[in-house]
Amino acid sequence: MPEPELYAAVARAPKLADRVAQQLQNLITSQQLHAGERLPPERDLAAMFAVSRTVVREAVRSLVAKGLLEVQSGSGTFVRAVKVATIAESLGLLLRSRSSGSAHAFEVRQLLEVEIARLAAARALPSDIEAMEQAIRELPGSEANPDRFAQIDVAFHTALARATQNELFVILLNSIGEVLLQIRRETVAEARSAERALFHHRRILERVKARDAEGAQEAMRAHLEDVHSTLARLLSREGQVSPEARG
Amino acid sequence: MPKPPLYETIQRTPKLADRVAQQLQALISTQHLRPGDRLPPERDLAERFAVSRTVVREAVRSLVAKGLLEVHSGSGTFVRVVAPEAVTESLRMLLRSSAGSYDSVLEVRQLLEVEIARLAAERATPQDLAAMEQTIVALAVTEGDPEAFARADVAFHAALARATQNDLFVILHDSIFDALLEVRRKGAAQVPGTVQRALYHHSDILRCVRAHDPLAAQEAMRAHLEESRQTMLRVLA
């Protein structure tokens, strides 16, 4: 055991604006203030918190920077509605500004999807299986339209994530989805890409239906491996590996 | 093979503004436009795309709504720079509002943490090790101060996530952990020995990471999570 320090740091009282920000944040996270709701005017907030308007303004500014509030000029300050799509776009931008963004996204996707396949095999409901079957029926012939192909591909993986009966998996998978969509659009140009996706999706579904958790994991690993190597081949043939796909 | 349907959906031509937005978005995803870059003035964009300024304005507005661009009044339109903290915050709010049970949070946390421990053992830099060490020193003196305990606890796991050298793990981990903070705080306040046990497990994980032993690090993390789950069950009981 290390000896406790003789001179422990003095805990400072947080700044007034930080305390106002914290209170507002608590109201939002505890859902007493809902997404899309308008905040009372600055003057009223100042009166309620018994602080100056400058303090309120500073608190609001820090929550805007955190993405919790948004100021619509003229009409007031609102609690920002958080959508998976918005998070996905932000993550996409963030990863793109990193040198190994897609490698990182792949690493996380692999982890999530293999576990999703395992849990889906244990927990899928008939309605989940139906959703996956539909995504498989719609896939053939879709490669003529890359956006459509990507959509159906995503629909299969989302249905699989739903089958875990754990909403968090759906949210997390979709959050890293924007970067992955980009990859899907790029790979669809590769020959027989839809055919191969179809083969793998069928195999995954078959293992899920058989309640074979290990088999489903294996099938998912093989599918991701295939997508990954297709992408690598595509990029090397173009002769220009985008910096984000390296590493 | 199923027969193709007789009546296929008609592919509509997208609106001009959507096509301009798509092109701009493509420039961003291919990194021809990078976060922080300023877009050319509306007039120039209209000329290059051979569309009206109204069309450009509509396209820009839709990308602002998507969070890809931001308008700084007076100085122009920029590709948005995203701070990891802002993403974490949004994801955290979304996870809270989805109101998953503790079980579903723990299920995801277990998956993330065990993989994080493995990758950290492979990739931790001396700075990462020092950061973890520091949180353990801080944790050692938190008996009787649940607030400080929760802070040091989070700090250890966050430092471990950073040691994967993958931002995504940091973001996902931070957003998930938030849901467990309150129950960790209560654990320290109500269940005797919580601080000592956390201290033991964190030290053990750090030892395995320092030895660059991924399998042992995973095992140590599993043991820690199991112990912390037991504490949690006692708090919630």
Side-chain angles (χ1 to χ4, degrees):
Chain A
M1 276 283 285
E3 217 181 310
E5 286 175 45
L6 263 184
Y7 306 96
V10 176
R12 279 169 198 279
K15 275 173 45 185
L16 265 185
D18 290 345
R19 284 165 59 194
V20 170
Q22 188 59 50
Q23 287 218 36
L24 283 172
Q25 186 167 345
N26 289 346
L27 288 176
I28 296 170
T29 48
S30 62
Q31 306 213 38
Q32 297 177 63
L33 278 172
H34 292 277
E37 212 169 303
R38 181 165 54 193
L39 243 57
E42 198 175 280
R43 191 169 9 92
D44 297 4
L45 281 176
M48 288 190 264
F49 286 125
V51 298
S52 71
R53 291 178 62 167
T54 320
V55 167
V56 170
R57 210 170 302 140
E58 196 182 332
V60 166
R61 207 178 300 132
S62 78
L63 293 180
V64 168
K66 272 186 160 180
L68 292 178
L69 297 177
E70 61 188 348
V71 177
Q72 288 172 7
S73 42
S75 55
T77 304
F78 294 80
V79 179
R80 207 158 70 96
V82 182
K83 297 200 203 93
V84 174
T86 321
I87 295 178
E89 295 282 359
S90 299
L91 264 184
L93 268 183
L94 182 73
L95 291 173
R96 263 183 233 119
S97 63
R98 298 285 195 275
S99 59
S100 38
S102 356
H104 285 171
F106 243 125
E107 190 165 270
V108 173
R109 179 188 178 193
Q110 164 109 11
L111 178 73
L112 290 174
E113 294 255 47
V114 171
E115 178 76 355
I116 284 170
R118 184 176 80 82
L119 294 173
R123 303 176 186 168
L125 304 173
S127 55
D128 298 319
I129 306 241
E130 171 48 36
M132 286 182 250
E133 275 171 345
Q134 190 186 335
I136 285 178
R137 274 198 303 274
E138 289 177 356
L139 200 61
S142 65
E143 65 263 65
N145 179 346
D147 283 333
R148 175 111 183 97
F149 169 77
Q151 255 172 32
I152 301 171
D153 188 12
V154 169
F156 177 82
H157 288 273
T158 304
L160 193 68
R162 286 240 157 73
T164 64
Q165 316 302 326
N166 182 342
E167 181 68 14
L168 292 189
F169 280 114
V170 183
I171 294 176
L172 295 183
L173 191 64
N174 286 337
S175 302
I176 60 168
E178 210 271 340
V179 180
L180 300 171
L181 257 182
Q182 193 61 34
I183 293 173
R184 285 182 171 96
R185 280 200 204 94
E186 285 172 24
T187 51
V188 74
E190 180 74 0
R192 302 192 300 112
S193 160
E195 206 178 302
R196 289 221 302 278
L198 193 61
F199 168 78
H200 286 288
H201 287 186
R202 280 199 178 120
R203 240 178 86 194
I204 294 166
L205 178 58
E206 181 203 309
R207 291 297 91 208
V208 168
K209 275 171 148 176
R211 303 276 169 214
D212 173 6
E214 267 182 41
Q217 283 188 300
E218 263 326 299
M220 178 59 84
R221 274 200 201 97
H223 176 33
L224 296 178
E225 180 55 40
D226 180 57
V227 173
H228 211 163
S229 62
T230 302
L231 183 66
R233 203 166 47 238
L234 190 72
L235 291 172
S236 68
R237 201 180 48 205
E238 277 177 358
Q240 54 161 109
V241 179
S242 74
E244 51 174 335
R246 228 182 275 144
Chain B
M1 280 287 282
K3 262 206 302 187
L6 262 184
Y7 305 98
E8 283 203 53
T9 318
I10 293 175
Q11 303 289 343
R12 281 168 199 278
T13 321
K15 273 173 46 184
L16 265 184
D18 290 346
R19 284 164 59 195
V20 169
Q22 240 169 41
Q23 287 218 36
L24 284 172
Q25 191 166 352
L27 287 175
I28 296 171
S29 15
T30 51
Q31 308 206 38
H32 286 95
L33 281 171
R34 289 163 182 277
D37 282 356
R38 181 165 55 193
L39 245 57
E42 198 175 279
R43 193 170 5 93
D44 295 7
L45 281 177
E47 240 166 66
R48 285 194 229 180
F49 286 127
V51 297
S52 71
R53 290 177 63 167
T54 320
V55 167
V56 170
R57 209 169 305 142
E58 196 182 333
V60 165
R61 207 179 298 132
S62 78
L63 293 181
V64 168
K66 271 187 160 180
L68 288 174
L69 297 177
E70 58 192 351
V71 178
H72 296 192
S73 42
S75 56
T77 304
F78 295 80
V79 179
R80 198 158 72 95
V81 178
V82 177
E85 296 74 31
V87 183
T88 304
E89 203 62 56
S90 309
L91 193 53
R92 195 177 277 171
M93 283 186 68
L94 186 70
L95 293 178
R96 283 209 182 200
S97 61
S98 89
S101 62
Y102 274 119
D103 282 343
S104 55
V105 176
L106 285 185
E107 186 166 272
V108 175
R109 185 190 173 196
Q110 164 106 12
L111 177 73
L112 287 173
E113 292 266 31
V114 171
E115 179 76 354
I116 284 171
R118 183 176 78 80
L119 294 173
E122 286 175 1
R123 304 177 186 169
T125 65
Q127 291 94 304
D128 294 322
L129 295 173
M132 284 181 247
E133 181 84 61
Q134 221 168 27
T135 68
I136 292 178
V137 172
L139 190 76
V141 296
T142 60
E143 196 67 69
D145 186 350
E147 193 56 47
F149 167 79
R151 264 203 311 274
D153 187 25
V154 175
F156 174 79
H157 289 277
L160 195 66
R162 273 197 299 278
T164 64
Q165 320 299 328
N166 180 340
D167 282 349
L168 258 182
F169 277 115
V170 180
I171 292 172
L172 297 186
H173 176 272
D174 288 0
S175 340
I176 295 269
F177 206 97
D178 182 65
L180 301 171
L181 253 189
E182 188 53 36
V183 81
R184 290 297 282 163
R185 219 174 272 139
K186 284 187 182 146
Q190 297 167 12
V191 183
T194 296
V195 175
Q196 285 310 312
R197 282 195 301 273
L199 199 56
Y200 166 78
H201 285 288
H202 286 190
S203 308
D204 197 37
I205 293 167
L206 176 58
R207 184 179 56 75
C208 302
V209 169
R210 187 174 275 140
H212 294 293
D213 186 341
L215 285 182
Q218 285 188 305
E219 263 328 298
M221 178 58 84
R222 279 204 194 95
H224 175 36
L225 293 178
E226 178 52 28
E227 173 271 318
S228 110
R229 200 176 65 88
Q230 295 296 340
T231 305
M232 197 165 125
L233 289 178
R234 289 177 64 182
V235 170
L236 297 173

